Amino acid sequence: RRTSSTQIATVARMFVKICGITTVADALLCAKAGCDAIGLNLVPGSTRQIEPTLAGEIARALPDHVAAVGVFRSQSPQFVIDTVRAHNLEAAQLHGEETIEETQWIAQRLPWTIKAFTAGAPGAAHYSDWGTDPVLLDAAEPGSGQTLDWTTVKLDPGPPHVLLAGGLHPANVAEAIATIKPWGVDAATGVEQSPGIKDPKLVIDFVRRAKEVATDAKVNRHVEEPQD
């Protein structure tokens, strides 16, 4: 199961990722709800951290159309590559102090890579330089449920594709999409019963509302269309 960045870029409607998955059951819930990807937290000390072997088990249980993304923070580039390859993941999401050079090195070796930025931070102003597609814009404390200040978000008119995170939940995702016009959205805390345990109703509502507003308003076109 391998999903290329080209395939990711051709998602017709809003790309939806649910992060902080810790069980096979929650991964399958997300898949059934219509998610395009799930995030598996491999960051030491995180409340949603799982072991790479469990990440691999979850990835193998997913249908082929749902991508398994390993989430890393300031871990060695070689560890990131080895973990993704060894445990049947499609992608790496880099949420730490990775340099441009490290990020590009990883992106050149994986089917696709996501670099995460704090919206409004200096690096986010030049995210096209980092060599990943998509990029993720998050609040200052990822995974905290803190809502991103949408007034700080300024999207470039071209690629890479922008995945919006930061305190998203069913009640605000439509407004976030209509305001920011991202290519995709990502939620963790906003669809949970408790840290690492998803709420089925919240997951289903989040995905439905994100897909509906994107389809109705055709808002996910703030980036260049993929070329044939």
Side-chain angles (χ1 to χ4, degrees):
R1 38 178 291 118
R2 282 286 174 241
T3 307
S4 71
S5 59
T6 300
Q7 289 172 300
I8 291 299
T10 57
V11 171
R13 296 193 293 164
M14 182 63 50
F15 186 91
V16 178
K17 175 173 168 283
I18 300 294
C19 206
I21 299 298
T22 61
T23 68
V24 169
D26 276 354
L28 295 178
L29 162 68
C30 292
K32 187 175 181 180
C35 290
D36 300 289
I38 63 164
L40 302 164
N41 195 326
L42 302 168
V43 177
S46 168
T47 55
R48 300 173 184 86
Q49 180 193 7
I50 60 173
E51 293 299 318
T53 51
L54 177 55
E57 179 184 343
I58 293 171
R60 288 189 294 273
L62 288 170
D64 288 345
H65 66 277
V66 181
V69 180
V71 179
F72 303 87
R73 181 180 297 153
S74 302
Q75 289 151 287
S76 79
Q78 191 63 59
F79 174 80
V80 172
I81 296 294
D82 291 346
T83 302
V84 169
R85 290 177 174 172
H87 297 286
N88 207 40
L89 309 181
E90 271 77 46
Q93 180 172 310
L94 308 178
H95 243 292
E97 300 299 322
E98 299 85 8
T99 65
I100 288 181
E101 292 75 20
E102 290 171 334
T103 302
Q104 291 174 343
W105 189 87
I106 292 169
Q108 290 163 4
R109 289 162 173 78
L110 295 179
W112 55 293
T113 303
I114 303 167
K115 181 68 179 91
F117 300 95
T118 299
H126 303 285
Y127 49 65
S128 59
D129 296 339
W130 291 70
T132 76
D133 191 2
V135 297
L136 182 143
L137 296 185
D138 207 342
E141 297 183 27
S144 66
Q146 175 184 343
T147 301
L148 173 64
D149 180 358
W150 298 333
T151 64
T152 66
V153 178
K154 300 290 187 289
L155 298 191
D156 288 345
H161 298 77
V162 174
L163 189 59
L164 183 67
L168 296 179
H169 51 75
N172 69 5
V173 67
E175 181 184 359
I177 291 171
T179 302
I180 306 302
K181 301 178 175 62
W183 165 78
V185 290
D186 191 349
T189 307
V191 292
E192 287 182 331
Q193 295 177 355
S194 59
I197 304 300
K198 299 309 178 194
D199 182 302
K201 184 179 186 303
L202 293 178
V203 169
I204 292 167
D205 285 351
F206 182 85
V207 177
R208 176 180 58 80
R209 294 182 186 189
K211 298 281 187 179
E212 284 179 353
V213 69
T215 301
D216 291 345
K218 290 190 70 67
V219 298
N220 56 333
R221 293 296 179 263
H222 224 256
V223 293
E224 289 182 356
E225 295 286 348
Q227 301 298 309
D228 294 332

